[in-house]
Amino acid sequence: MWEAISGLATLGTGLAIVFTVILGIRQLRLTGEQLDHLRRATQLEGAMRIFDDLNAPEFRESLHFIATELPKRMVDPTFRAEVSQIGLADDKIHKELHLLRSFERVGAYVKNGLIDGAIIYDYGLPPIVASWESLAEVVRIHRAAHEQGLWENFEMLYREGLSWRNRSHGPEWQRQPASKPQIGVPTAPI
């Protein structure tokens, strides 16, 4: 009789352990889901702040300056000499510095896993690519005057962004100028 009671007690203990393990696994899954939800909410908040920065008037002005005025200004010997000063250069004259600093900061966030690069590339790859390519000479001057690692996080954004684009859109996807539709010319047979 004691053997039967002992057997039932062992069975009960085994069932309690199995039940506890099942509850533990369920709790781990729920915790994982909560952590994933928290991570996604944090990513969204971080991305929204970055997007606000990328749409701020000072950033847009810097982007416009790089695209329209910087090539002309780089011919001016005084301006060109000031380029190597980086931190000592006047931000009101060297508007490229705001964009460089902004993308350097975003690149640091991506590099350190604080924000997923795909979020940034999906939204901001065109200005990253255009700016990095337009600033190649400025970056060369900065690196020659200071250190080769200068703007490495911005460069990482550029390189990884291109890689992301190739993975997402295929290697045949290239930046092409928008074609102008020809008015009055049918595009398909009628």
Side-chain angles (χ1 to χ4, degrees):
M1 171 145 159
W2 288 110
E3 289 176 10
I5 292 173
S6 177
L8 287 175
T10 301
L11 179 63
T13 302
L15 289 174
I17 291 171
V18 167
F19 183 71
T20 302
V21 167
I22 290 171
L23 284 178
I25 291 170
R26 183 174 183 272
Q27 187 61 40
L28 281 173
R29 281 191 191 137
L30 288 175
T31 302
E33 289 171 9
Q34 289 172 339
L35 287 173
D36 185 54
H37 179 71
L38 181 61
R39 183 191 64 77
R40 292 172 57 89
T42 303
Q43 289 279 327
L44 177 61
E45 184 179 336
M48 296 302 290
R49 287 189 183 181
I50 289 170
F51 298 158
D52 286 345
D53 287 348
L54 298 183
N55 287 308
E58 190 176 29
F59 182 87
R60 304 305 280 170
E61 185 178 340
S62 181
L63 190 60
H64 184 264
F65 172 80
I66 291 164
T68 61
E69 295 180 44
L70 184 63
K72 294 178 262 184
R73 299 294 302 272
M74 288 298 286
V75 176
D76 176 14
T78 303
F79 182 88
R80 193 176 181 84
E82 291 172 350
V83 167
S84 66
Q85 296 176 354
I86 304 174
L88 300 175
D90 185 353
D91 289 3
K92 291 179 178 84
I93 295 171
H94 290 273
K95 296 176 183 177
E96 73 277 7
L97 292 173
H98 180 76
L99 184 135
L100 282 162
R101 291 175 184 140
S102 294
F103 279 141
E104 180 70 6
R105 184 177 58 249
V106 172
Y109 296 156
V110 171
K111 181 174 80 176
N112 291 293
L114 299 174
I115 189 137
D116 185 13
I119 296 169
I120 301 303
Y121 306 139
D122 196 34
Y123 178 82
L125 188 59
I128 290 169
V129 170
S131 299
W132 181 259
E133 291 174 357
S134 296
L135 290 166
E137 189 173 0
V138 171
V139 170
R140 262 193 310 278
I141 293 168
H142 287 176
R143 288 178 173 176
H146 298 281
E147 64 176 88
Q148 288 301 307
L150 203 57
W151 310 122
E152 69 182 7
N153 295 322
F154 184 8
E155 183 176 13
M156 185 249 354
L157 270 182
Y158 170 76
R159 294 191 189 293
E160 288 191 9
L162 292 177
S163 177
W164 172 86
R165 181 181 67 192
N166 289 339
R167 285 190 311 272
S168 299
H169 301 291
E172 69 282 350
W173 191 86
Q174 296 292 323
R175 233 180 350 154
Q176 298 176 0
S179 62
K180 295 180 183 177
Q182 295 179 352
I183 299 172
V185 178
T187 57
I190 300 177

